[in-house]
Amino acid sequence: ILKYAEFFLGGKDARVLDPCCGSGTLLIEREKLAPAASLTGVDIAHRAIDIARKNAENAGSKAKFICNDMLRFEAKRPYDEIVANLPFGNRVGTHANNERLYAGLLELGPKPYISRSEVAILYTMEFTLLKKLIRERPKLKLVTETRTEAGGLMPGIFIIKLK
């Protein structure tokens, strides 16, 4: 995922957020591919955060993890980059839940998501929903997308920037 998006990654001063970090592997891989000033993972599941912290420790990563709902999480400072393996809605969760979650992620309000980030790298099976929500937000631009194969599914990688 991140190798595909490598050209869009920020420099060593980048502040990186994964708002649905799960086990933390995307942030750990982000750090290995290109060092960053800070790496923050947020997930609603306590068990996922415990695993993410252990994975970061085992990988020698400086990533930090917070147990919180990404729709309630607010940072003190904005992030330069968002990387996320979003819930797909077909093995975990539902499409209806994803509608609210994805809209919140793309919100151009006070939350430190796309509105203040230089780039968002999003991975999901909900490509139709994601594209619809991007089109509804004139300040966002879908820079590029591609499909990948993952366990019999064909999720997409989306690179989004502000216009």
Side-chain angles (χ1 to χ4, degrees):
I1 298 166
L2 293 172
K3 191 68 175 161
Y4 171 78
E6 188 172 15
F7 175 78
F8 299 97
L9 300 179
K12 64 180 185 228
D13 295 329
R15 290 177 36 84
V16 181
L17 172 69
D18 183 344
C20 352
C21 69
S23 63
T25 57
L26 198 57
L27 280 178
I28 293 166
E29 289 302 316
R30 167 59 179 85
E31 183 178 23
K32 289 181 182 298
L33 189 59
S38 72
L39 300 140
T40 304
V42 176
D43 201 284
I44 199 166
H46 290 279
R47 178 84 174 121
I49 292 298
D50 291 343
I51 292 168
R53 288 177 178 150
K54 189 61 143 174
N55 285 341
E57 179 184 329
N58 290 339
S61 171
K62 67 180 180 183
K64 303 293 180 210
F65 299 95
I66 300 164
C67 190
N68 200 339
D69 181 335
M70 70 167 251
L71 297 178
R72 292 189 185 132
F73 172 73
E74 291 196 34
K76 294 180 176 110
R77 294 178 30 210
Y79 291 91
D80 303 302
E81 188 178 307
I82 296 169
V83 297
N85 179 351
L86 298 171
F88 286 9
N90 53 358
R91 290 187 178 162
V92 176
T94 66
H95 176 74
N97 287 345
N98 286 349
E99 288 177 318
R100 188 175 72 83
L101 189 72
Y102 287 30
L105 178 66
L106 297 177
E107 187 59 47
L108 293 174
K111 293 192 185 304
Y113 297 140
I114 305 291
S115 63
R116 298 188 199 166
S117 301
E118 293 181 19
V119 66
I121 300 154
L122 307 177
Y123 183 65
T124 184
M125 276 294 295
E126 288 269 26
F127 37 85
T128 303
L129 171 62
L130 187 57
K131 286 170 144 179
K132 173 186 171 286
L133 292 170
I134 293 167
R135 279 193 308 273
E136 292 173 353
R137 288 156 176 79
K139 292 184 179 180
L140 297 181
K141 176 183 179 184
L142 178 58
V143 177
T144 186
E145 67 178 286
T146 192
R147 294 279 180 87
T148 63
E149 191 279 326
L153 300 175
M154 293 298 292
I157 303 170
F158 298 84
I159 314 276
I160 303 166
K161 291 186 125 189
L162 286 174
K163 286 185 179 175

